[in-house]
């Protein structure tokens, strides 16, 4: 599959260049599937409206102890139910997940700060090098 994700392990929207990166990626890769994961804390409705034309899918992981949607994310969700929002999302998707901030989904090779290190070696290979190739915003490639 031809896909490009404009995120890695940290919040992509902290880089103010992301809208420009997304526009450039869409222009250069018109047939690729572009996606992004964000925690949504700095995602505003105007920024969402700027980004969505370039992406095929945006995932918002709404971290909240009370399983409540943050007001800015609720505003985006409400907008998506309007005729204008439905037009913006046509053929695309927005996925909003309510997430518990304490849940550990991966140990990141034993480096997750809220998960203990494995007590014995893992006997299965790591498939990430075959699934993803991370280029950081400074142009360096992650291991």
């Amino acid at each position: 599959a031809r896909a490009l994700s404009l995120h890695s392990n940290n919040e992509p929207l902290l880089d103010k260049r992301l809208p420009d990166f997304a526009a450039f990626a869409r222009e250069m890769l018109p047939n690729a599937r572009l996606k992004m994961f964000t925690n949504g804390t700095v995602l505003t409705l105007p920024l969402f409206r700027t980004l969505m034309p370039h992406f095929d899918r945006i995932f918002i992981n709404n971290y909240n102890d009370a399983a409540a949607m943050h007001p800015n994310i609720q505003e985006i969700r409400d907008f998506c139910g309007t005729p204008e929002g439905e037009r913006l999302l046509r053929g695309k998707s927005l996925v909003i997940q309510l997430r518990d901030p304490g849940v550990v989904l991966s140990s990141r090779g034993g480096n997750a700060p809220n998960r203990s290190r494995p007590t014995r070696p893992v006997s299965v290979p790591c498939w990430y090098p075959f699934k993803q190739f991370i280029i950081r915003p400074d142009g360096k490639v992650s291991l």
Side-chain angles (χ1 to χ4, degrees):
R2 292 183 173 121
L4 177 66
S5 300
L6 296 181
H7 65 271
S8 182
N9 292 337
N10 294 310
E11 175 53 49
L13 296 176
L14 293 177
D15 190 329
K16 302 299 182 205
R17 302 171 298 169
L18 185 71
D20 295 330
F21 288 157
F24 180 75
R26 177 51 65 206
E27 181 182 341
M28 295 291 110
L29 304 167
N31 298 319
R33 291 176 309 143
L34 270 62
K35 68 179 180 176
M36 176 184 71
F37 277 83
T38 175
N39 64 27
T41 55
V42 297
L43 184 60
T44 62
L45 181 55
L47 180 55
F48 173 77
R49 292 171 71 179
T50 298
L51 290 171
M52 201 64 219
H54 308 300
F55 286 96
D56 296 289
R57 180 174 281 184
I58 292 180
F59 295 87
I60 300 175
N61 289 322
N62 183 105
Y63 291 96
N64 188 295
D65 289 326
M69 205 171 295
H70 295 292
N72 61 314
I73 297 172
Q74 182 66 54
E75 181 182 20
I76 291 166
R77 182 172 182 248
D78 292 345
F79 167 77
C80 290
T82 67
E84 182 184 356
E86 289 174 0
R87 279 191 302 277
L88 182 65
L89 285 176
R90 192 167 289 131
K92 300 167 180 279
S93 63
L94 171 67
V95 178
I96 301 172
Q97 298 177 320
L98 297 177
R99 302 287 293 273
D100 177 347
V103 171
V104 178
L105 300 176
S106 169
S107 73
R108 296 285 177 197
N111 292 321
N114 56 348
R115 184 171 184 166
S116 59
R117 293 183 84 73
T119 56
R120 61 179 194 247
V122 178
S123 62
V124 295
C126 177
W127 292 104
Y128 277 119
F130 304 101
K131 289 177 52 175
Q132 67 182 12
F133 184 77
I134 298 174
I135 303 171
R136 299 186 312 224
D138 62 4
K140 295 178 181 172
V141 175
S142 292
L143 293 175

